[in-house]
Amino acid sequence: MVVPWIDEMVALSVERRFRERFNRLQALWFAVMDVLGPFIRVSPARLTPLQRARARPVPPRSRRLAPLRPEAPLAREALHENVAYRWTLHELSERVRLSPQQLTRVFVDAFGKTPIAYLTMLRVQEMARPLRESDLSVAAVGRCVGWSSRSRATEAFIEHVGLSPSRYRSMRPVVADR
């Protein structure tokens, strides 16, 4: 139902003459949102101010816009390749041939988080899938992503998602058998 409107919006915006076509684009946008709006749900989990601050990208006024140093993507790739590994800042810095302090500065400039905070975020993301798709215990899922302690896994999950792992698991959709 909304595809023709979206197609028209794209066609109208290709030539980038937004000022002349603003009213039609706005009307099309409202028509699309009028159809999609009833399907948008607000999560019952509210973010704390600390979580909102961590979720937002660093604003340009406080971030230096410059090309990434090659060490930052190398460190990120290492973390992505082996999320469950017990990385230390010293090990990661040796891998990319920087001092731990320099790696932290370069990584924060590039990604807005320290390498260890980034690793925690990756582990929480990796933890979410098995919580949704399996009945493994929280401790087992936490061990799979690199935490030796159930309490640390739970604490990190709550900090990043705003829900406990068991509450998150209970919210998964129930699929009816056909």
Side-chain angles (χ1 to χ4, degrees):
M1 182 174 171
V2 298
V3 172
W5 295 331
I6 293 173
D7 287 342
E8 186 179 349
M9 287 173 68
V10 169
L12 289 172
S13 62
V14 167
E15 295 174 16
R16 305 186 65 80
R17 293 186 358 217
F18 300 113
R19 193 167 292 211
E20 300 91 35
R21 298 177 175 172
F22 174 80
N23 291 333
R24 181 61 185 158
L25 284 166
Q26 184 179 36
L28 289 167
W29 175 250
F30 286 141
V32 168
M33 290 313 298
D34 191 45
V35 172
L36 297 180
F39 299 101
I40 298 172
R41 299 281 183 259
V42 175
S43 170
R46 295 286 174 227
L47 294 178
T48 65
L50 181 60
Q51 290 168 326
R52 275 196 302 276
R54 290 181 179 172
R56 291 186 184 139
V58 179
R61 68 181 179 277
S62 65
R63 187 174 63 128
R64 185 174 46 90
L65 297 176
L68 294 181
R69 288 202 34 190
E71 295 90 350
L74 287 174
R76 184 183 63 187
E77 287 170 20
L79 295 174
H80 277 272
E81 286 171 7
N82 198 350
V83 172
Y85 183 73
R86 299 180 132 255
W87 288 103
T88 64
L89 190 57
H90 184 72
E91 270 182 313
L92 196 57
S93 65
E94 281 181 354
R95 185 165 179 158
V96 297
R97 296 184 177 93
L98 288 176
S99 72
Q101 295 82 10
Q102 185 65 14
L103 172 62
T104 300
R105 275 192 296 276
V106 167
F107 204 90
V108 168
D109 282 346
F111 305 113
K113 296 177 183 277
T114 66
I116 301 305
Y118 190 87
L119 176 61
T120 301
M121 178 194 71
L122 289 177
R123 286 180 175 173
V124 167
Q125 289 173 355
E126 288 293 316
M127 197 173 163
R129 186 180 46 75
L131 285 172
R132 285 190 313 266
E133 298 172 357
S134 75
D135 291 325
L136 289 172
S137 69
V138 173
V141 173
R143 279 191 302 276
C144 289
V145 298
W147 282 306
S148 57
S149 157
R150 179 189 193 279
S151 62
R152 176 62 188 127
T154 301
E155 176 186 312
F157 198 86
I158 291 170
E159 182 181 327
H160 284 268
V161 178
L163 299 168
S164 69
S166 54
R167 175 81 176 109
Y168 178 82
R169 173 178 276 155
S170 71
M171 293 174 66
R172 68 180 169 192
V174 177
V175 179
D177 294 331
R178 289 183 183 211

